[in-house]
Amino acid sequence: MVSMEKKSAILMSVGSFLVVTGAVMAVFWPSLFMLVLKKIMVLAPGSTSYNIWKEIPIPMYLEFFMFNISNVDDILAGKNVKMQVEQFGPYVFREYHKKVNITFNDNATVTFYNERTWFYEPEMSNGTLDDVITSINPIIATVAYVLRNQHPLLKVPVDVFMRMFHDNMFLTAPVRNWLFDGIEDPVLDVANHFPDLPINIPYDRFGWFYERNGSKEFDGIFLMNTGAKDFSSLGNVEKWKYSDRSNFRDECGVVQGSTGELWAPELGQQELTVFAPDICTYMNLARTDNPVEVLGVQGVEYAANNSLFDNGYRYPSKIMAILQISGEKKISKMYGVPLILFFVVGDLILMVLEGISNGGNLTYFLTDKTFLIFIKTVLSCFLSFLPSDMNFRLSLEMYTGMPLSVAAQLQINLLVRHVDAITINNQLPDRDTLVPMFWFRQELFMTEQYASLARLALGVRSGVPIGLYTITVAVGILLLVIGIFILLKKLLKPSDTLLDSPHEVVQ
């Protein structure tokens, strides 16, 4: 039989062990939690994150708002009028992302293509894809820009040639053709038969998203960090199109940042970097003070600030080309035609366009002639964030790195300037006009299914240490008390036995 001394010693030893263990576990549980989280999130075949990353199950929607020029007849009649536009839409598409041609490499990276597919959602849209939109013909504006510095002996025949197929510089087509199906144009057909022309035309039709729907190659090939060696680098792009640089110069040409789908726990850092293949560079998103809560999960919001389209004035590292005057923005030739990026703020921006108003958000374009004369490029996808609440925003749950919401709004405008001897291109009232073509909004919000997973993970992170500490320490203290009680009882028992013994001999 175990003596009372041994029982007391065992109980007090176990109790002390539990108290110490509970305290230690409470202190080191966050590190243990991070080890478990790494195993779940590091990208590898069969990992929890892999299936979500490979084919994102969270619903994503892309909304298009088209601008229709409503006073074409007045413009063609030579009246001194402002261009009037009206907004159509939204035309809503469900967007799917799927990674294809996936290859895991030995250096903790993965190579893949990102295949994006869009399906029209008529119930969520205002209008149909058969709605007719009239706007500037980008093909005419492109040809005029490319030939702007050529001799009139070349430009005049080109002008005559384009007038054989077009009465003016405006183009009318259904929404479906403007976006995905593409618009046939005889000028393209003829140009494609002469590969030595100074105009690089990679497509047989014109459409803003032509040949993108279901294409795996359009976004390019990515080399991304899996986080296996450096968990903090999870989801970061190492190379894009087989290079660690894009066509931009200096720092703007560096390929860096997350793809936006996988994030290691950031734990409150002040800035995030996202690589955007559509603009061939990265975006810095600064932490905001806006509180975020999605389906009961709290997070931190990051948003683009004026560094995104800065010209190098406030952020010297953002200079993308050597420019002649202050105020010009980023210029590149990423898509075969020049690309101008502006952030829509500043004294040079004036509202000179009638008809655009979207819930208090106004669209602007530049009219300062001195400014425009020195702009190196005319035709482009002119990307500008809409003012005020229209911005790129990303919200993350900081302890798991789980995206709670993503919202991005961009507007595409076409800068049209008069070119001597190409008269079909010179029909707008002003010699330099930035014409709004369309804007789009992309949104993603966490579903209840993934919100419940996030709440469970956060509950484990915060609840387990509390439970460990409370239960183990409480049990440990209880065992200590019992052990001490037994020990005290044993210490007091001999004297009581001596007094009560019937065999006691009194001297």
Side-chain angles (χ1 to χ4, degrees):
M1 180 177 290
V2 180
S3 65
M4 296 183 68
E5 291 91 339
K6 288 184 177 180
K7 286 183 179 179
S8 175
I10 292 172
L11 289 172
M12 286 191 293
S13 296
V14 173
S16 299
F17 175 78
L18 289 176
V19 171
V20 174
T21 300
V24 170
M25 290 291 287
V27 172
F28 289 99
W29 172 252
S31 298
L32 295 175
F33 175 81
M34 187 60 67
L35 289 176
V36 175
L37 190 64
K38 285 182 181 179
K39 186 175 181 180
I40 293 174
M41 294 185 63
V42 167
L43 198 64
S47 68
T48 303
S49 63
Y50 176 76
N51 292 327
I52 299 174
W53 168 82
K54 181 180 178 182
E55 193 165 353
I56 299 175
I58 301 175
M60 291 179 287
Y61 294 94
L62 186 62
E63 301 174 75
F64 291 98
F65 296 81
M66 309 298 295
F67 290 123
N68 177 69
I69 302 175
S70 58
N71 62 336
V72 170
D73 291 339
D74 290 340
I75 294 174
L76 293 176
K79 297 181 180 179
N80 186 20
V81 294
K82 297 178 182 178
M83 183 184 298
Q84 295 178 353
V85 298
E86 52 186 340
Q87 179 176 281
F88 283 55
Y91 304 94
V92 183
F93 291 79
R94 174 75 183 270
E95 181 173 342
Y96 295 88
H97 287 201
K98 182 180 180 180
K99 310 302 185 298
V100 296
N101 292 20
I102 302 171
T103 302
F104 283 91
N105 308 307
D106 295 334
N107 60 347
T109 61
V110 60
T111 305
F112 64 93
Y113 287 93
N114 185 33
E115 180 182 284
R116 289 195 282 179
T117 310
W118 292 272
F119 295 94
Y120 182 58
E121 296 283 349
E123 300 83 6
M124 303 175 65
S125 302
N126 180 25
T128 73
L129 295 182
D130 293 320
D131 291 345
V132 176
I133 301 296
T134 297
S135 190
I136 299 297
N137 188 331
I139 299 168
I140 292 177
T142 302
V143 173
Y145 168 72
V146 171
L147 300 179
R148 69 197 183 282
N149 295 323
Q150 298 296 323
H151 194 278
L153 291 178
L154 174 61
K155 290 189 285 187
V156 170
V158 170
D159 183 48
V160 173
F161 168 73
M162 288 194 291
R163 284 188 176 276
M164 292 172 57
F165 305 105
H166 299 286
D167 295 329
N168 53 63
M169 68 180 303
F170 298 96
L171 179 62
T172 300
V175 171
R176 66 173 71 251
N177 296 94
W178 278 106
L179 295 179
F180 289 100
D181 292 354
I183 302 171
E184 294 182 350
D185 193 299
V187 174
L188 289 182
D189 295 336
V190 174
N192 283 323
H193 286 86
F194 297 93
D196 295 331
L197 289 175
I199 305 173
N200 179 21
I201 301 177
Y203 304 112
D204 59 346
R205 295 186 179 191
F206 171 80
W208 296 114
F209 278 59
Y210 182 57
E211 292 192 351
R212 293 193 67 172
N213 202 351
S215 170
K216 73 175 185 180
E217 292 90 359
F218 197 95
D219 281 355
I221 189 168
F222 295 82
L223 181 71
M224 189 186 76
N225 197 299
T226 64
K229 291 183 178 179
D230 181 5
F231 188 50
S232 65
S233 298
L234 172 67
N236 286 350
V237 180
E238 304 289 337
K239 289 185 178 181
W240 177 58
K241 295 184 176 180
Y242 303 103
S243 176
D244 59 1
R245 295 194 59 83
S246 69
N247 288 353
F248 286 127
R249 57 170 293 179
D250 300 330
E251 184 178 336
C252 290
V254 176
V255 173
Q256 63 178 344
S258 170
T259 58
E261 298 167 336
L262 287 176
W263 297 90
E266 302 296 337
L267 301 179
Q269 64 188 70
Q270 295 301 309
E271 191 173 75
L272 300 180
T273 302
V274 179
F275 181 76
D278 284 336
I279 59 175
C280 312
T281 187
Y282 62 89
M283 300 184 292
N284 291 325
L285 308 181
R287 183 171 179 171
T288 72
D289 297 327
N290 298 332
V292 175
E293 182 173 328
V294 179
L295 298 176
V297 181
Q298 294 183 344
V300 175
E301 181 188 70
Y302 292 85
N305 55 25
N306 59 3
S307 70
L308 180 59
F309 292 136
D310 186 69
N311 62 357
Y313 177 72
R314 296 182 179 86
Y315 302 85
S317 64
K318 289 295 184 179
I319 296 178
M320 291 194 179
I322 302 232
L323 304 172
Q324 293 183 5
I325 62 169
S326 174
E328 289 190 50
K329 309 298 180 181
K330 309 170 187 177
I331 298 176
S332 72
K333 296 184 179 179
M334 298 300 298
Y335 297 101
V337 295
L339 179 69
I340 310 176
L341 305 178
F342 289 82
F343 190 75
V344 187
V345 291
D347 295 337
L348 288 174
I349 297 175
L350 304 173
M351 180 185 168
V352 294
L353 191 66
E354 292 182 349
I356 299 181
S357 178
N358 180 31
N361 293 307
L362 301 177
T363 301
Y364 304 85
F365 67 90
L366 301 169
T367 56
D368 188 298
K369 297 300 186 298
T370 304
F371 175 79
L372 290 172
I373 287 172
F374 290 93
I375 291 183
K376 294 291 188 181
T377 181
V378 177
L379 178 69
S380 69
C381 294
F382 173 96
L383 304 178
S384 59
F385 279 116
L386 295 178
S388 169
D389 61 318
M390 310 294 279
N391 202 338
F392 187 98
R393 300 182 185 276
L394 169 68
S395 299
L396 296 177
E397 198 294 305
M398 302 311 297
Y399 294 107
T400 63
M402 184 177 291
L404 301 181
S405 65
V406 179
Q409 298 85 18
L410 290 172
Q411 181 170 316
I412 306 236
N413 307 280
L414 189 65
L415 181 58
V416 180
R417 67 186 314 179
H418 287 195
V419 176
D420 293 341
I422 302 184
T423 59
I424 193 173
N425 180 73
N426 303 339
Q427 295 173 335
L428 297 182
D430 292 325
R431 290 187 58 85
D432 301 284
T433 307
L434 192 57
V435 182
M437 305 299 287
F438 72 97
W439 70 275
F440 62 89
R441 175 169 58 210
Q442 185 177 42
E443 294 184 322
L444 179 151
F445 293 95
M446 176 187 287
T447 61
E448 177 58 36
Q449 176 185 359
Y450 291 96
S452 62
L453 291 177
R455 292 194 294 265
L456 176 61
L458 294 174
V460 170
R461 182 186 183 278
S462 59
V464 168
I466 295 175
L468 286 172
Y469 182 79
T470 302
I471 294 174
T472 57
V473 171
V475 172
I477 292 175
L478 178 61
L479 294 178
L480 278 172
V481 171
I482 294 174
I484 293 172
F485 175 77
I486 292 174
L487 180 61
L488 290 175
K489 183 178 180 181
K490 174 62 180 175
L491 292 174
L492 296 175
K493 188 173 182 180
S495 60
D496 295 339
T497 304
L498 183 63
L499 292 174
D500 297 337
S501 175
H503 302 291
E504 181 180 10
V505 179
V506 179
Q507 299 292 334

